[in-house]
Amino acid sequence: MARRAEQADLPLSETTFFILLSLAPAPRHGYAIMKEVQALSNARVNLSTGTLYGALKRLLELNWIKAVREAGIRPSARPRRAYALTEQGRRVLRAETERLQALVKAARRHVPQGEV
Amino acid sequence: MRVIEIVRRVYGVLLHLYPASFYREFGDEMQATLADMLEEAAGRGMFSVWEACVRELMVLPFAALRERWRARGGGQMSTLPIRHVPQTWWGWLLAFIPFVLMFVITVSNMLRNYLPEWIALGVLGLLVCPLILGAARGLPDWSVASFGILAAIANLLLFNERLQAFSHWFLSPYNLAVQVIISPGLPWLGLIGLTPIVLLLTALLKPLRPFFHSVQSDWTTLSFALYSAMLLALTITFDEYVGEELFVLAALVALGAGVVFYLRSTRQDGRLAALVGGMVAAWVIVGIAKWVLIPSQNWGGVIPTERVAATRWGELSYTAVTAAWMLMVIVVAPAALGACARLSTHLTVRLRGRINQM
C-alpha cells in the first residue's frame, strides 16, 4: 500500500502521470519521453517541448526523477541528458496507480457490468 | 527544409523568454528535442511539420511566462513558519513599543509633566521604526505591533472629518438608538477600509509577502497588527475625562498581557483568545473607570447628583458600543480578510493546476 507521504502528492496531473509512467521501464531523453507519452495515451496527450521541460524541471525539483547521461548513438552526436525515475518517483507512481485502480474498482462495483 | 530552419531560429529566440537559469539548464536540450521532432515530422510530410511548428511556437511563450511566474514565487504556498515568538530581546521590545510609549506618556501626564509637542514626532518615529526594520524581513509579528496605532492615526486624519460630516446627513433621519450604535463606529470605519488595501499591498510586494502568507495561514496575525489601534481608542474614550491615568495604566497592562499571551501561544484559538481577552479586560477597566470617575468630572459644571446615574449608564452604553466596534475592526474584519486571503490561495493553486495541464 502507498504510504501517507506519497498520498499527500496525489492526485497527479495527467501530464505528470504519463511522464512518470514513460520513465518506469527505463531512462529516456526528452524526445523519447514525448513519443512514449503519446503512445501511452493513444495520442490523446501530445506534449510540446515547453510543457515537457517545465514538467521535467518540477519533477527534478521534487526529486521524483534524476538526470542521467545517455551516450550519443552516432559517434559525432553529443551525449544527451536522459531522465530516470528515482525511488521516490517510483513510489509516487505506484501510489497514483493504486489510487486509480481503487477508483476503477469502485466504479465497476457500483455500476452494473457492461456499462463501465 | 527552409521552414524548419526558420522555425528553429525563431524557437531559439523565443527560448530567451525563459528565466536565465531555466534557459541555461534546458535551452540546448529543448532545441535538440525540437530538431528531433521536426526531423521526424518531415518524414511524415509537410502537414505534420506545420502542425508541430504551430504548436511549438504557440505554446512556448506561455510556457516561458509560466516559468517566470514560478520563478517569482507565484502560486507557491508559503513554507515559512509562522513567527510568533520574537527570538531576541529587542524583538520583544519592538513588539511592545506602542504600549510602552503609551505607558510613558500616561505616567508623564499623571505627574503633570506634560511632554513637549516635538516629542510627539519622536514617538511617531519610534512607532514607524519597527515597521521599516521589519519590512526587510517580511514583516514578522514583532514589527507589525505598531501598525494598528499608525493606521488608526492615519485613518483619523484622513477620513474622520468626512465621515462625521457624512454621518450628520446620513444619521439625521434615524432615531437616537440608531445614532448611538453607529456614531462610536464612525472613527473606525476608515480603518476597516484601509486594512484590505494594506493587505493587498503585502500580497503584491515581494519583500512583504511573508506577512501575507502568515495571514493566509493564521488570520490572527492581522488582528495582532491592528491590536494597537486600541491605544487610540483608549485615548479617544477618555478624551474629556480627568484623573483617568491610573485606569489607563491598568488597561495598558491588560492589553500588554494580551500581547504576551498572543506571542507565546502555539495555537490559533489561543492567540485569538489572548487578543480578545486583552481587549475585553481593557474595556471592562474603561467601564469601571467611567463609573467611578463620572461624579468627579466637571463638564461645564459638576454633574448634578440626580443626573449621575443616567450619565453613568449613558457613558457605559457608549463604551460597550465602542468596544463592539473595536472587536469588529480587530477581530471580525481580519477574520473575513483572512478567509479571502485563503480563498486567493485556493484559486491560485487551481489556476496553477490548470496551467500545469497546458
Side-chain angles (χ1 to χ4, degrees):
Chain A
M1 285 297 286
R3 286 188 311 153
R4 188 169 291 182
E6 277 76 49
Q7 284 177 339
D9 297 310
L10 307 184
L12 301 181
S13 71
E14 198 173 24
T15 305
T16 305
F17 177 71
F18 277 126
I19 291 173
L20 293 179
L21 195 61
S22 72
L23 296 175
R28 293 177 200 277
H29 58 74
Y31 187 53
I33 295 172
M34 288 169 81
K35 284 175 56 173
E36 186 67 8
V37 167
Q38 199 176 20
L40 285 169
S41 66
N42 293 324
R44 203 166 46 77
V45 179
N46 286 311
L47 296 176
S48 68
T49 53
T51 307
L52 173 69
Y53 282 94
L56 289 177
K57 183 175 191 294
R58 279 191 306 287
L59 295 176
L60 285 167
E61 285 166 356
L62 288 165
N63 195 32
W64 292 359
I65 62 170
K66 61 185 175 190
V68 291
R69 284 278 163 200
E70 183 190 65
I73 299 162
R74 294 185 298 274
S76 60
R78 280 192 310 174
R80 287 201 288 188
R81 196 156 68 150
Y83 299 92
L85 274 187
T86 61
E87 261 319 297
Q88 196 181 343
R90 207 168 282 282
R91 281 201 298 268
V92 171
L93 180 61
R94 196 177 304 130
E96 177 69 348
T97 309
E98 282 171 6
R99 190 187 70 83
L100 293 172
Q101 275 173 342
L103 287 181
V104 172
K105 205 169 154 187
R108 286 201 195 289
R109 247 196 338 261
H110 194 65
V111 180
Q113 271 194 337
E115 285 187 27
V116 176
Chain B
M1 263 190 278
R2 189 168 166 74
V3 166
I4 291 179
E5 193 49 42
I6 292 170
V7 168
R8 285 178 64 173
R9 282 177 189 276
V10 173
Y11 187 89
V13 173
L14 288 176
L15 276 177
H16 288 281
L17 291 174
Y18 277 95
S21 59
F22 189 99
Y23 180 83
R24 275 196 301 275
E25 192 176 356
F26 295 108
D28 288 348
E29 214 176 317
M30 288 172 80
Q31 280 181 306
T33 301
L34 180 82
D36 284 348
M37 181 198 294
L38 294 179
E39 199 175 298
E40 200 175 296
R44 293 197 301 270
M46 243 351 247
F47 179 76
S48 295
V49 172
W50 277 108
E51 188 191 9
C53 291
V54 168
R55 192 183 65 211
E56 285 299 321
L57 296 181
M58 281 186 68
V59 171
L60 197 72
F62 292 105
L65 289 177
R66 182 184 61 202
E67 289 307 323
R68 283 201 172 272
W69 186 53
R70 284 206 182 102
R72 289 164 63 92
Q76 299 292 316
M77 287 286 285
S78 170
T79 52
L80 294 170
I82 300 172
R83 302 138 305 153
H84 286 289
V85 183
Q87 300 300 313
T88 54
W89 66 267
W90 55 265
W92 278 97
L93 180 67
L94 292 177
F96 275 94
I97 213 159
F99 304 90
V100 171
L101 289 174
M102 180 82 170
F103 200 92
V104 171
I105 291 168
T106 308
V107 169
S108 176
N109 287 350
M110 198 162 69
L111 299 173
R112 299 288 177 264
N113 181 21
Y114 296 105
L115 298 172
E117 279 183 8
W118 60 266
I119 290 277
L121 286 175
V123 167
L124 277 177
L126 281 171
L127 290 174
V128 172
C129 273
L131 280 169
I132 293 171
L133 283 173
R137 296 160 190 241
L139 293 177
D141 278 352
W142 53 258
S143 69
V144 295
S146 51
F147 170 76
I149 178 82
L150 287 170
I153 292 171
N155 162 60
L156 214 62
L157 295 175
L158 291 173
F159 304 121
N160 191 45
E161 211 168 295
R162 290 187 184 91
L163 281 169
Q164 293 292 350
F166 174 73
S167 72
H168 288 305
W169 168 78
F170 175 75
L171 291 175
S172 53
Y174 295 97
N175 60 30
L176 188 65
V178 174
Q179 293 186 23
V180 163
I181 290 169
I182 302 290
S183 314
L186 286 174
W188 311 104
L189 280 183
L191 201 53
I192 292 176
L194 205 62
T195 310
I197 296 169
V198 172
L199 188 63
L200 188 65
L201 278 178
T202 63
L204 295 175
L205 300 175
K206 198 173 178 184
L208 309 182
R209 210 169 288 153
F211 178 79
F212 181 74
H213 291 319
S214 283
V215 174
Q216 284 178 314
S217 308
D218 176 6
W219 58 267
T220 61
T221 310
L222 192 55
S223 291
F224 179 69
L226 289 164
Y227 187 66
S228 60
M230 276 291 295
L231 300 177
L232 193 64
L234 279 183
T235 310
I236 291 173
T237 203
F238 282 126
D239 189 25
E240 293 172 344
Y241 280 79
V242 290
E244 81 287 3
E245 290 88 356
L246 271 178
F247 293 100
V248 173
L249 292 180
L252 284 175
V253 170
L255 291 174
V259 175
V260 173
F261 287 119
Y262 170 87
L263 290 173
R264 295 187 69 87
S265 180
T266 55
R267 291 158 51 111
Q268 190 189 39
D269 50 4
R271 286 190 282 274
L272 177 61
L275 296 183
V276 173
M279 288 170 65
V280 169
W283 284 113
V284 168
I285 292 166
V286 170
I288 294 170
K290 290 186 172 181
W291 190 271
V292 172
L293 292 173
I294 277 173
S296 61
Q297 300 305 301
N298 188 343
W299 295 335
V302 177
I303 300 167
T305 314
E306 67 275 12
R307 288 192 57 199
V308 164
T311 311
R312 273 176 168 164
W313 285 112
E315 277 293 288
L316 280 189
S317 310
Y318 191 86
T319 303
V321 175
T322 308
W325 272 102
M326 291 312 290
L327 275 173
M328 182 79 83
V329 170
I330 294 174
V331 177
V332 179
L337 286 172
C340 292
R342 277 196 304 284
L343 184 67
S344 77
T345 309
H346 177 68
L347 292 176
T348 312
V349 168
R350 284 191 66 176
L351 181 64
R352 191 166 51 135
R354 287 276 171 86
I355 291 171
N356 286 344
Q357 297 281 357
M358 273 172 58

